[in-house]
Amino acid sequence: MTHSVPDIFANNRAWAAQMERQRPGFFTELTRQQKPKYMWIGCSDSRVPANEIMGLDPGEVFVHRNVANVVVHSDLNALSTVQFAVDVIKVQNITVVGHYGCSGVAAALSGQRVGLADNWLRHIQDVRDRHWHLIDAIPEAHRHDALVELNVIEQVVNVCQSTVMVDAWARGQTVTVHGWVYGIHDGLLQNLHITVNGVEALEAAYKAAIEGVSRSERN
């Protein structure tokens, strides 16, 4: 289904009116302060709406999105967003969320050239190369899913090793970083069991999560 620009404005007004009827004062409350407990680092894919997936309202999730949910230490956009979330908003949970069927991961897995984004997807190819023996041992039909999961795990590591998180944990701030994957085919979130609440917890969580990908039963 396609919508024109006037349709979008009409839909917006209908939605706003419905929200105000169902929850009087909802928008007034939103204007007062932004205090989400969750930050979502996800893919820009239009099929993956953070709030709806988590069952949370506007104002309850602080969101950063890019192609294939990559976090690298040279990306000041991503790191500035994480820093604002942690230092200013004081989020308690950061979720790195990939999704099955990610076209960016598919391109990185196959080495497909897509244009300027090839330079960005090189980060995922690095993940592919790092774990090639694991991926190669998985039936070809399931390698894409495995790389989606491995990419999330590696991006969780990057978040945890950022100066933002190292400093936050050093001063005793309570922030937990999680790695999840969303299934577009069924609408469900999957926990990759990499949950990190301090620098000292990272190595063991990383090893367990990689082992989990290796041992996963895939249908």
Side-chain angles (χ1 to χ4, degrees):
M1 181 181 296
T2 59
H3 297 277
S4 66
V5 171
D7 288 338
I8 290 172
F9 277 92
N11 291 343
N12 167 254
R13 282 156 176 72
W15 170 78
Q18 182 181 9
M19 288 295 295
E20 191 62 31
R21 286 193 302 270
Q22 293 175 345
R23 299 172 60 177
F26 175 77
F27 294 106
T28 301
E29 186 65 27
L30 275 185
T31 64
R32 291 176 181 165
Q33 198 161 10
Q34 178 180 215
K35 284 190 174 180
K37 294 181 180 179
Y38 290 90
M39 178 182 184
W40 170 290
I41 300 174
C43 184
S44 298
D45 193 299
S46 61
R47 301 167 295 176
V48 190
N51 287 74
E52 289 90 336
I53 289 170
M54 299 175 79
L56 299 177
D57 287 329
E60 294 189 296
V61 187
F62 192 66
V63 178
H64 175 78
R65 299 174 69 164
N66 60 48
V67 175
N69 45 273
V70 170
V71 180
V72 290
H73 302 300
S74 58
D75 182 4
L76 296 183
N77 183 7
L79 294 180
S80 296
T81 308
V82 173
Q83 186 269 327
F84 193 87
V86 172
D87 293 355
V88 180
I89 298 178
K90 308 293 185 185
V91 298
Q92 297 174 12
N93 297 276
I94 297 175
T95 63
V96 180
V97 188
H99 68 93
Y100 298 119
C102 179
S103 56
V105 171
L109 179 63
S110 66
Q112 175 188 355
R113 293 292 303 274
V114 296
L116 181 62
D118 295 337
N119 301 281
W120 183 252
L121 298 178
R122 180 66 246 180
H123 298 297
I124 306 174
Q125 289 179 324
D126 290 343
V127 174
R128 177 201 65 189
D129 296 345
R130 184 175 304 123
H131 297 286
W132 179 249
H133 291 297
L134 186 160
I135 295 170
D136 193 44
I138 293 172
E140 186 173 358
H142 301 299
R143 289 176 184 172
H144 176 268
D145 288 352
L147 184 54
V148 166
E149 295 166 4
L150 292 166
N151 183 51
V152 167
I153 293 167
E154 293 292 344
Q155 304 317 317
V156 167
V157 171
N158 288 345
V159 172
C160 293
Q161 291 180 335
S162 69
T163 55
V164 176
M165 294 308 305
V166 170
D167 291 347
W169 284 328
R171 63 177 175 260
Q173 188 169 341
T174 301
V175 189
T176 303
V177 185
H178 312 264
W180 301 342
V181 176
Y182 173 67
I184 290 175
H185 62 289
D186 60 12
L188 300 178
L189 285 169
Q190 303 296 330
N191 188 350
L192 295 180
H193 302 290
I194 181 165
T195 300
V196 185
N197 56 14
V199 173
E200 67 285 346
L202 178 57
E203 183 176 358
Y206 174 76
K207 289 180 179 178
I210 295 297
E211 184 66 20
V213 175
S214 177
R215 295 187 174 184
S216 178
E217 295 182 4
R218 303 178 187 277
N219 299 318

